[in-house]
């Protein structure tokens, strides 16, 4: 058996809102996710023995590799197919961590796809997504990829026409608490979403995307987590600079702190201006091909 290599693409949320709270404590979401060309490389090599070995280049791995989503994904895959797993997993990290870009979920999804390929596709895409959901809410999207509408906890509903013909600038605008804490802060801010205006602008965003308006559809977009950054000086400054340098829209990704700007031409001026202020920035393009 030869080693396999998978690209784990970052994602942005073209639209993200809460449509309700669930009894299990999670939030019902409506979101449109889009892969972008920033990626981690995940190489998986079969081994004779030694169990699951994980190494990350470009990121200090947590002291206990077993808590890494990529490791958990490998364990879950081997449990599902009833095999003893002996593999080396090597991740070249480029996606910034805990930034709202789905890096950890993308790595976990790439491990599931890669192991499935390595062992002759024993599991269907739907089975991989079920395993993915047990690892994290964004993992099913990362398995399917492209541009997808996701609802519920994050279940993939269907593919939708994505954005194209634009350049994307990602900027990590500060730091944030954990995703769980961000949801807790939202619950406080919106009083558990009682009387909240759910899904504003979703139909318009979707209609514009499906009608081919592409990136410019995002004039109507919404990310419910934006409200948590109203008082963040860094966030507001990053958004202002992107707009001044020609971004047609600037939106938060996931629960932050990354924002993305959509540019008709090159985002170079904004890239340079933000780098000069020591903001981490990445120029990339939308990915419409599935991973
Ligand atoms: O699924 P994942 O482990 O990525 O979620 C992290 C945390 O974010 C969860 O523990 C939960 O508090 C919150 N969450 C939520 N509703 C979702 C997804 C995540 O409340 N749909």
């Amino acid at each position: 058996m030869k080693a396999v290599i998978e690209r784990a693409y970052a994602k942005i949320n073209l639209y993200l809102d809460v449509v309700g709270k669930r009894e299990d404590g999670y939030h019902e979401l409506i979101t449109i996710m889009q892969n972008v060309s920033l990626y981690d490389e995940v190489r998986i090599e079969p081994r004779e023995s030694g169990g699951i070995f994980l190494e990350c280049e470009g990121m200090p791995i947590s002291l206990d590799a077993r808590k890494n989503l990529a490791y958990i994904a490998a364990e879950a895959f081997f449990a599902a197919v009833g095999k003893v797993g002996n593999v080396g997993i090597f991740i070249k990290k480029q996606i910034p961590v805990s930034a709202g870009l789905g890096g950890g979920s993308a790595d976990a999804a790439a491990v599931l796809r890669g192991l499935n390929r390595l062992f002759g596709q024993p599991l269907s895409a739907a089975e991989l997504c079920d395993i993915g959901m047990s690892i994290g809410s964004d993992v099913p999207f990362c398995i399917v990829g492209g541009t997808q509408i996701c609802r519920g906890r994050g279940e993939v509903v269907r593919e939708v026409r994505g954005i194209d013909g634009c350049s994307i600038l990602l900027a990590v605008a500060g730091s944030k608490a954990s995703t769980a804490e961000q949801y807790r802060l939202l619950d406080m801010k919106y009083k558990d979403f009682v009387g909240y205006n759910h899904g504003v602008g979703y139909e318009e965003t979707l209609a514009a995307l499906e009608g081919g308006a592409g990136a410019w559809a995002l004039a109507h977009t919404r990310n419910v987590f934006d409200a948590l950054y109203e008082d963040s000086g860094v966030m507001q400054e990053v958004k202002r600079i992107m707009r001044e340098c020609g971004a047609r829209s600037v939106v938060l990704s996931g629960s932050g702190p990354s924002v993305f700007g959509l540019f008709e031409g090159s985002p170079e001026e904004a890239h340079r201006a933000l780098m000069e202020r020591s903001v981490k920035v990445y120029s990339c393009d939308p990915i419409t091909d599935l991973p």
Side-chain angles (χ1 to χ4, degrees):
M1 254 192 284
K2 275 170 61 180
V4 294
I5 295 180
E6 290 280 335
R7 283 186 177 181
Y9 287 108
K11 60 85 185 162
I12 54 177
N13 298 78
L14 303 181
Y15 185 94
L16 172 59
D17 204 2
V18 167
V19 292
K21 274 198 78 179
R22 299 158 50 119
E23 294 203 335
D24 62 6
Y26 282 84
H27 294 73
E28 283 288 320
L29 302 181
I30 179 157
T31 181
I32 304 174
M33 297 211 239
Q34 164 85 56
N35 274 142
V36 297
S37 58
L38 176 68
Y39 63 90
D40 295 342
E41 190 180 275
V42 178
R43 188 167 65 83
I44 308 175
E45 60 178 41
R47 295 185 161 183
E48 293 292 312
S49 58
I52 301 164
F53 173 81
L54 174 67
E55 197 171 83
C56 279
E57 193 184 296
M59 182 186 92
I61 197 159
S62 77
L63 282 180
D64 187 355
R66 286 160 195 268
K67 291 195 178 133
N68 187 292
L69 294 188
Y71 190 100
I72 295 169
E75 275 186 324
F77 175 86
F78 289 118
V81 297
K83 273 191 196 322
V84 178
N86 293 308
V87 284
I89 301 171
F90 304 89
I91 303 179
K92 266 193 214 159
K93 228 31 228 164
Q94 299 191 85
I95 307 171
V97 295
S98 300
L101 298 171
S105 305
D107 294 345
V111 165
L112 292 175
R113 283 198 313 267
L115 286 173
N116 206 38
R117 200 145 63 88
L118 196 61
F119 290 94
Q121 309 282 1
L123 300 178
S124 66
E127 286 169 324
L128 288 182
C129 284
D130 283 348
I131 300 175
M133 188 51 98
S134 71
I135 298 165
S137 305
D138 288 345
V139 180
F141 166 76
C142 297
I143 289 169
V144 180
T147 315
Q148 306 286 341
I149 298 173
C150 301
R151 302 195 71 138
R153 242 188 83 193
E155 288 85 348
V156 174
V157 175
R158 72 174 167 93
E159 188 170 15
V160 64
R161 185 166 175 172
I163 52 171
D164 51 19
C166 68
S167 307
I168 300 170
L169 188 65
L170 304 177
V172 186
S175 57
K176 69 161 185 190
S178 69
T179 304
E181 178 63 9
Q182 295 286 91
Y183 275 103
R184 207 186 58 78
L185 292 173
L186 271 190
D187 285 343
M188 278 166 54
K189 185 163 181 86
Y190 291 115
K191 304 192 170 39
D192 285 331
F193 292 92
V194 176
Y196 171 84
N197 200 358
H198 304 280
V200 171
Y202 171 70
E203 293 300 337
E204 289 85 345
T205 302
L206 187 59
L209 277 174
E210 294 195 312
W216 323 128
L218 300 186
H220 309 283
T221 201
R222 171 187 186 93
N223 182 329
V224 62
F225 288 99
D226 253 322
L228 299 182
Y229 294 93
E230 277 161 3
D231 299 330
S232 159
V234 190
M235 176 65 71
Q236 300 313 325
E237 173 81 346
V238 167
K239 286 184 165 181
R240 183 183 61 75
I241 291 171
M242 286 214 200
R243 283 196 199 98
E244 281 177 8
C245 294
R248 289 281 296 267
S249 40
V250 185
V251 189
L252 190 79
S253 185
S255 59
S258 293
V259 290
F260 60 95
L262 300 175
F263 294 78
E264 233 164 326
S266 159
E268 205 181 313
E269 190 190 340
H271 192 132
R272 212 172 325 109
L274 289 168
M275 259 177 69
E276 277 165 13
R277 287 167 175 79
S278 303
V279 176
K280 265 202 221 161
V281 272
Y282 305 83
S283 292
C284 51
D285 298 304
I287 291 277
T288 44
D289 294 340
L290 306 185

